[in-house]
Amino acid sequence: MVTRAVTDHPTDFTGSVEEAIRSAIVAKLSDARVDVSGGDGHYTIGVVSTAFAGKNMLESQRLVLGAIAHLMK
């Protein structure tokens, strides 16, 4: 497993950014299938969840971004 610095900004984060993103999303959307790729502070996140049923794209994005907001600070 590769550990990468998220950005040039000071941080005390250690570990896999991809796993942190995946875990945070699954913690909020328990049935989610999550695919994370990228690096150097730029990630592509694909999420499939029943929580998106009846929601438009913006509402779905807000669910995902809300789950990882603490990681983006």
Side-chain angles (χ1 to χ4, degrees):
M1 188 167 289
V2 176
T3 301
R4 298 182 196 132
V6 177
T7 66
D8 292 334
H9 300 273
T11 181
D12 59 357
F13 180 84
T14 59
S16 168
V17 173
E18 293 89 343
E19 187 54 37
I21 292 169
R22 189 176 295 105
S23 296
I25 294 169
V26 171
K28 296 286 184 177
L29 306 170
S30 61
D31 73 330
R33 290 191 334 252
V34 183
D35 179 47
V36 182
S37 61
D40 299 323
H42 299 276
Y43 295 88
T44 300
I45 305 168
V47 182
V48 176
S49 173
T50 58
F52 301 148
K55 293 185 173 39
N56 64 36
M57 187 179 296
L58 181 58
E59 293 168 323
S60 298
Q61 287 176 336
R62 286 180 176 157
L63 284 175
V64 173
L65 292 175
I68 63 171
H70 66 287
L71 298 172
M72 296 187 290
K73 291 184 178 187

